[in-house]
Amino acid sequence: MTDEELSPRERRYQRTQQAILEAARAIVAEGGADKLSIRAIADRIDYSPAGLYEYFGSKEEIIGALCLEGHRTLKRYMHQVPLTLPPDEYMVELGLAYIHFAIQNPDYFLLIFTTTSARPAFEGEAAGGPPEEMTDQDSSFPVLLGGVSRAVQAGKIHFLAGLGLLETAYAFWAVVHGAAMLRITYLDQMKADFDRADRLMLAAFVRGMGP
Amino acid sequence: MTDEELSPRERRYQRTQQAILEAARAIVAEGGADKLSIRAIADRIDYSPAGLYEYFGSKEEIIGALCLEGHRTLKRYMHQVPLTLPPDEYMVELGLAYIHFAIQNPDYFLLIFTTTSARPAFEGEAAGGPPEEMTDQDSSFPVLLGGVSRAVQAGKIHFLAGLGLLETAYAFWAVVHGAAMLRITYLDQMKADFDRADRLMLAAFVRGMGP
DNA sequence: TGTACATCAGTGAACGCGCGTTCACTGATGTAC
DNA sequence: TGTACATCAGTGAACGCGCGTTCACTGATGTAC
């Protein structure tokens, strides 16, 4: 997985692959998923459309890789929230990071969570799919789950009757994902102070589960 | 707005318009929004593609009308939850109805909440857009807000510090919408018992805000 | 170091396809007298 | 009631477009001796 041991050829190959994905990401960011085409990508990196087939087998494969990268980027973004924060604040910031990522990359976020091909392969599911198939590790859910778990262990929140760790994390994910989706689709024209509303809401959520 | 006073011509006209929208809805339901085309709609109602332009000015206009209808349908679906339920249970059932609608009409739901053209015109926004523009009345949000409001008045839930009625309703909407979205996109392959999880989660949400 | 050859990375042109929309048209329906 | 005409609802063919993908090709890069 490291890039030592790679020949210059292989390195160039990977760099071009990355350039293709970065071009794809930029096109989506600028004009939405509808504008993403093999030709548009090729244009952007000064290749002919046919050239891309040296690096990816199909457009679908490019989108798959793009989604995978997107999930990883979102995960990395959330990991920037400092673990030094008290567990309850950490949870709130984790949620806000998720929402902010969506707002800053609305069309990218939409693509990631709307494309039916790139799904995480949770344990127990058919193993050995395409090599670039997404795994649990690439999802942002475990990060949210970690935040909840930490707050539970610190005694900051407890489970409401009938809910286990997983369900609680799922509930948290739902709030956060719902806020993100609503803000980038339904509410994106509205000028109300949703930043404040999101923060209050998440804080209330955490506090609502408190002791 | 009633259909008395309508000539047979006008009645036929409206019936064909409805047939077009129903065909569009069915196509989306069967194959997703990608499969929705003027030709596919025409095929389904035994028209030539050109014929549709008697009823709608463009494909975009059809999609706009379809989204509007979708929001109204979702609203109607939620209104089926009996108001005789105690306010806290009413809220839970309202949320579950929203989620079930999404699960039963995943691609339709996705279209409705993803299309950028058909947005609700909340008060204060530019009035006098296209006649078929969506208004606040066509959104499902007021129904959720009504549910929250009722629970508050009954003393079943109270506002957490800093949250008003609107923010509380927004928080409720976010959970519900997030659960719906996750279940039809990210989680649609997973076999875990999310029906149960959703119910527990919503009950916990309501109870968490209780006295 | 120089030469001969194999492999590689990328091109240009073309393929067939489905799309939204336009337009001159036609037969059916409705209206006026 | 019958006739002449206007309007309407719908058609068929064509337009130009952008798309994903294929394929024979070519010059550049790397390898073997």
Side-chain angles (χ1 to χ4, degrees):
Chain A
M1 277 294 165
T2 68
D3 52 3
E4 41 179 344
E5 305 282 356
L6 285 186
S7 71
R9 264 247 245 281
E10 288 165 321
R11 230 199 296 278
R12 238 179 315 156
Y13 186 83
Q14 290 201 356
R15 222 165 331 135
T16 305
Q17 258 191 338
Q18 269 313 114
I20 289 170
L21 291 180
E22 167 52 25
R25 195 207 53 76
I27 290 163
V28 170
E30 287 170 18
D34 288 347
K35 291 269 179 288
L36 184 61
S37 72
I38 294 284
R39 284 163 215 261
I41 298 171
D43 255 23
R44 197 173 254 263
I45 62 169
D46 285 319
Y47 266 50
S48 73
L52 304 198
Y53 286 85
E54 191 80 12
Y55 300 91
F56 292 96
S58 65
K59 187 192 181 184
E60 218 189 359
E61 212 174 276
I62 294 179
I63 292 179
L66 185 59
C67 287
L68 180 60
E69 206 186 55
H71 275 109
R72 285 181 181 151
T73 306
L74 169 54
K75 191 179 174 178
R76 225 178 301 124
Y77 190 82
M78 291 200 294
H79 268 136
Q80 287 177 6
V81 176
L83 268 163
T84 51
L85 286 175
D88 48 350
E89 285 178 37
Y90 178 71
M91 268 183 74
V92 172
E93 295 302 325
L94 219 49
L96 288 176
Y98 190 102
I99 295 167
H100 287 156
F101 179 86
I103 290 171
Q104 274 155 28
N105 313 275
D107 285 297
Y108 195 19
F109 185 87
L110 225 48
L111 177 77
I112 289 171
F113 279 99
T114 277
T115 304
T116 30
S117 73
R119 292 293 163 61
F122 283 90
E123 22 177 356
E125 273 192 272
E132 281 282 57
E133 191 73 12
M134 187 178 173
T135 75
D136 197 22
Q137 289 310 310
D138 302 309
S139 167
S140 51
F141 178 63
V143 185
L144 293 174
L145 189 126
V148 172
S149 172
R150 196 169 156 242
V152 168
Q153 275 164 26
K156 286 287 188 177
I157 71 173
H158 58 207
F159 301 142
L160 288 155
L163 267 66
L165 173 62
L166 222 79
E167 281 98 347
T168 307
Y170 168 60
F172 188 50
W173 191 16
V175 193
V176 161
H177 188 72
M181 283 300 301
L182 286 175
R183 292 203 51 184
I184 64 178
T185 59
Y186 211 77
L187 305 171
D188 71 348
Q189 306 281 12
M190 296 190 61
K191 337 166 198 357
D193 191 354
F194 282 107
D195 284 337
R196 186 173 159 276
D198 286 334
R199 180 178 290 279
L200 289 174
M201 172 177 84
L202 293 181
F205 186 89
V206 173
R207 211 178 317 114
M209 306 194 129
Chain B
M1 277 297 163
T2 68
D3 53 3
E4 40 178 346
E5 305 281 356
L6 284 187
S7 70
R9 265 249 246 281
E10 289 164 320
R11 230 199 296 278
R12 238 180 313 156
Y13 185 83
Q14 291 200 357
R15 224 168 330 136
T16 306
Q17 259 191 338
Q18 268 313 113
I20 289 169
L21 291 180
E22 167 52 24
R25 195 207 52 75
I27 290 163
V28 169
E30 287 170 18
D34 287 348
K35 292 270 179 289
L36 183 61
S37 72
I38 295 282
R39 284 164 214 262
I41 298 171
D43 254 23
R44 198 173 254 262
I45 62 169
D46 285 319
Y47 267 49
S48 72
L52 304 197
Y53 287 85
E54 191 80 14
Y55 300 91
F56 291 95
S58 64
K59 187 193 181 185
E60 217 190 359
E61 213 173 276
I62 294 179
I63 293 179
L66 185 59
C67 287
L68 180 60
E69 206 187 55
H71 275 109
R72 285 182 182 150
T73 306
L74 169 54
K75 190 180 174 177
R76 225 178 302 124
Y77 191 81
M78 291 200 294
H79 268 137
Q80 287 178 7
V81 176
L83 267 163
T84 50
L85 286 175
D88 49 350
E89 284 178 39
Y90 178 71
M91 268 183 75
V92 172
E93 295 302 325
L94 219 49
L96 288 176
Y98 190 103
I99 294 168
H100 287 157
F101 179 86
I103 290 170
Q104 275 156 27
N105 314 274
D107 285 297
Y108 195 20
F109 185 87
L110 224 48
L111 178 76
I112 288 171
F113 280 100
T114 276
T115 305
T116 30
S117 72
R119 293 293 163 60
F122 283 90
E123 21 178 355
E125 275 193 271
E132 281 283 56
E133 190 74 11
M134 188 178 172
T135 75
D136 197 21
Q137 287 310 309
D138 302 309
S139 167
S140 53
F141 177 64
V143 186
L144 293 175
L145 189 125
V148 173
S149 172
R150 196 169 155 241
V152 168
Q153 275 164 27
K156 286 287 187 176
I157 70 174
H158 57 207
F159 301 140
L160 288 155
L163 267 66
L165 173 62
L166 223 79
E167 281 98 347
T168 307
Y170 168 59
F172 189 50
W173 192 14
V175 192
V176 162
H177 188 72
M181 284 299 302
L182 286 175
R183 293 204 50 185
I184 64 176
T185 58
Y186 211 77
L187 305 171
D188 71 347
Q189 306 281 13
M190 296 190 60
K191 340 166 193 0
D193 191 354
F194 281 106
D195 284 336
R196 186 173 160 275
D198 286 334
R199 179 176 290 278
L200 289 173
M201 172 177 84
L202 293 181
F205 185 90
V206 173
R207 211 178 315 114
M209 305 194 131

